[in-house]
């Protein structure tokens, strides 16, 4: 999530393209857009990988369009009910929606970045409780798993977790499993004789 | 990092139990023993029928060998727990319990259920208490912030259960929120 050079998460989150609108003609780099044109002409819209976009945006060759995973449609859906948005489908399997958002946020100017930060933070907090609830629920279940139609909404929520939330889910599940195991263990007699 | 992954996130409940075993409990010895020096201090002498305060680990050890009766701490009985449970369910904040009550209660209940009056009832009260408190820490979660989380009176076992994931969640929130201080300064 941080922009550290060595952070694997940051590299994975960078695996996205963003739409840029070119303001100037750039000669000899038409292949960037995947087309056959030799040059990029002024109002061209091209999806550019993030690592390349930084320098293009900084040199003011192009304007950034906020990518669809953070567009108004998703924002409204998040505002309505953060838990019903499937973040993973927005950024592809194993995608890091928050990481990607953080990167976009760093590119944007202050005012927009603050709005973006609000959207991300609210979404995260809105979904957090549900993540933990489900993680704890799954920690109490055996390997048998769950069945029944009542779990549909929960399952769709789980499938929609983004990479960061998955990590949290695993952490919460592991620790509550461990605590539960301790509460239920009865190896006292053995310990006592060993000491 | 040489530690296996499950040990990296947090202390294990077993380790917490070990730490809690250093606390003193009262016992009624059934054997005689001179004052003995241990690394953590000198305990004893044991002279039945005089009561004696020794560390929990030693009490557990003696109890397993049937050489003492453990006198449960004053909070480990039905009346006290009942009262705390009703307080727990009627007020929004955590009620005050000894910091390591979960570990101590489990250790004593495991080896010395015969020294506690109505051990089964105590067990079920502890379980209810734990569930009531769990619900509260879950509510506390909704108030999670990138810089702090305040859950007064939560106990070591509860903190330990929440720790790995609270840390991570707060880390994420720190990344997502933009320099909290400047914004707070700019807003009012």
């Amino acid at each position: 999530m941080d922009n550290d050079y060595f952070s694997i998460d940051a590299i994975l989150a960078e695996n996205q393209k963003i739409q840029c609108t070119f303001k100037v003609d750039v000669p000899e780099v038409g292949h960037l857009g995947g087309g056959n044109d030799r040059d990029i002409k002024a109002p061209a819209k091209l999806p550019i990988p993030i690592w390349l976009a930084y320098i293009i945006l900084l040199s003011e060759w192009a304007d950034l369009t906020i990518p669809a995973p953070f567009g108004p449609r998703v924002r409204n859906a998040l505002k309505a009910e953060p838990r019903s948005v499937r973040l993973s489908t927005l950024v592809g399997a194993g995608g890091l929606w928050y990481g990607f958002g953080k990167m976009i946020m760093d590119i944007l100017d202050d005012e927009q970045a603050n709005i973006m930060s609000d959207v991300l933070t609210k979404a995260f907090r809105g979904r957090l409780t549900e993540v933990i609830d489900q993680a704890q629920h799954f920690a109490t279940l055996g390997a048998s798993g769950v069945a029944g139609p009542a779990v549909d909404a929960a399952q769709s929520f789980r499938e929609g977790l983004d990479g960061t939330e998955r990590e949290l889910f695993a952490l919460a599940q592991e620790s509550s499993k461990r605590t539960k195991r301790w509460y239920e263990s009865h190896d006292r007699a053995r310990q006592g004789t060993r000491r | 990092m040489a530690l296996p992954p499950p040990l990296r996130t947090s202390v294990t409940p077993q380790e917490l139990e070990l730490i809690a075993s250093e606390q003193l409990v009262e016992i009624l010895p059934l054997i005689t023993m001179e004052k003995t020096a241990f690394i953590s201090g000198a305990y004893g002498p044991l002279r039945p029928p005089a009561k004696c305060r020794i560390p929990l680990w030693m009490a557990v050890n003696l109890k397993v060998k049937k050489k003492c009766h453990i006198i449960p701490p004053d909070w480990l009985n039905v009346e006290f727990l009942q009262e705390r449970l009703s307080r727990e369910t009627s007020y929004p904040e955590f009620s005050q319990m000894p910091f390591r009550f979960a570990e101590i209660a489990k250790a004593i209940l495991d080896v010395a259920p015969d020294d506690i009056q109505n051990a089964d009832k105590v067990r079920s009260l502890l379980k209810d208490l734990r569930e009531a408190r769990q619900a509260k820490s879950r509510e506390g979660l909704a108030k999670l912030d990138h810089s702090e989380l305040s859950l007064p009176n939560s106990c070591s076992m509860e903190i330990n259960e929440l720790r790995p994931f609270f840390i991570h969640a707060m880390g994420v929130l720190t990344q997502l929120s933009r320099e909290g201080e400047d914004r707070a300064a700019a807003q009012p």
Side-chain angles (χ1 to χ4, degrees), chain B residues 21-188:
Chain B
S21 305
E22 286 301 321
Q23 302 209 344
L24 299 182
V25 290
E26 275 204 319
I27 58 155
L28 195 63
L30 301 175
I31 50 156
T32 317
M33 190 179 88
E34 282 314 304
K35 196 174 170 92
T36 313
F38 295 95
I39 294 175
S40 55
Y43 302 107
L46 307 183
R47 300 244 163 77
K51 289 178 187 172
C52 183
R53 287 179 74 79
I54 57 170
L56 182 61
W57 62 265
M58 193 171 152
V60 164
N61 199 323
L62 289 176
K63 175 69 197 176
V64 167
K65 293 170 186 157
K66 301 196 168 46
K67 287 175 180 167
C68 77
H69 291 299
I70 297 177
I71 298 168
D74 49 9
W75 50 265
L76 192 59
N77 57 53
V78 175
E79 296 81 51
F80 185 92
L81 293 175
Q82 192 86 64
E83 188 263 331
R84 279 298 142 95
L85 180 63
S86 67
R87 206 186 288 182
E88 201 76 66
T89 43
S90 42
Y91 296 100
E93 69 266 20
F94 286 96
S95 66
Q96 191 147 19
M97 286 296 286
F99 185 61
R100 303 191 187 278
F101 82 94
E103 297 92 314
I104 297 174
K106 179 168 188 295
I108 296 181
L109 278 169
D110 272 3
V111 289
D114 49 326
D115 290 342
I116 298 172
Q117 284 184 351
N118 219 340
D120 286 336
K121 178 80 180 153
V122 168
R123 243 186 226 124
S124 85
L125 278 172
L126 281 168
K127 192 156 186 254
D128 293 349
L129 203 58
R130 176 177 166 229
E131 274 157 15
R133 296 173 70 101
Q134 231 169 13
K136 283 184 192 174
S137 41
R138 190 184 156 270
E139 277 161 30
L141 201 74
K143 301 188 205 107
L144 186 69
D145 191 283
H146 70 94
S147 59
E148 63 169 346
L149 173 78
S150 163
L151 287 176
N153 285 337
S154 35
C155 294
S156 66
M157 195 52 78
E158 292 153 1
I159 295 173
N160 195 57
E161 184 173 356
L162 297 175
R163 184 184 293 125
F165 125 96
F166 265 60
I167 293 175
H168 196 94
M170 284 169 98
V172 172
L173 278 173
T174 313
Q175 294 287 337
L176 294 183
S177 62
R178 307 186 72 237
E179 288 73 51
E181 312 83 56
D182 326 339
R183 270 184 92 191
Q187 265 174 359

Side-chain angles (χ1 to χ4, degrees), chain A residues 132-133 175 178 182 188, chain B residues 6 17 106 111 138 161 165:
Chain A
I132 304 315
D133 279 358
S175 91
R178 198 156 67 172
W182 177 79
R188 174 63 45 180
Chain B
E17 193 184 331
K106 179 168 188 295
V111 289
R138 190 184 156 270
E161 184 173 356
F165 125 96

Side-chain angles (χ1 to χ4, degrees), chain A residues 9-10 21-22 24 26 47 64 71 74 89 101 104-105 112 129 134 139 143 146 152 163 171 181 187:
Chain A
D9 282 347
T21 316
F22 278 81
V24 291
V26 191
L64 167 76
V74 176
T89 49
I104 301 292
M105 192 169 101
Q112 278 184 304
T129 327
Q134 290 212 18
V146 268
D152 277 357
L171 276 176
R181 215 182 299 135
D187 54 352

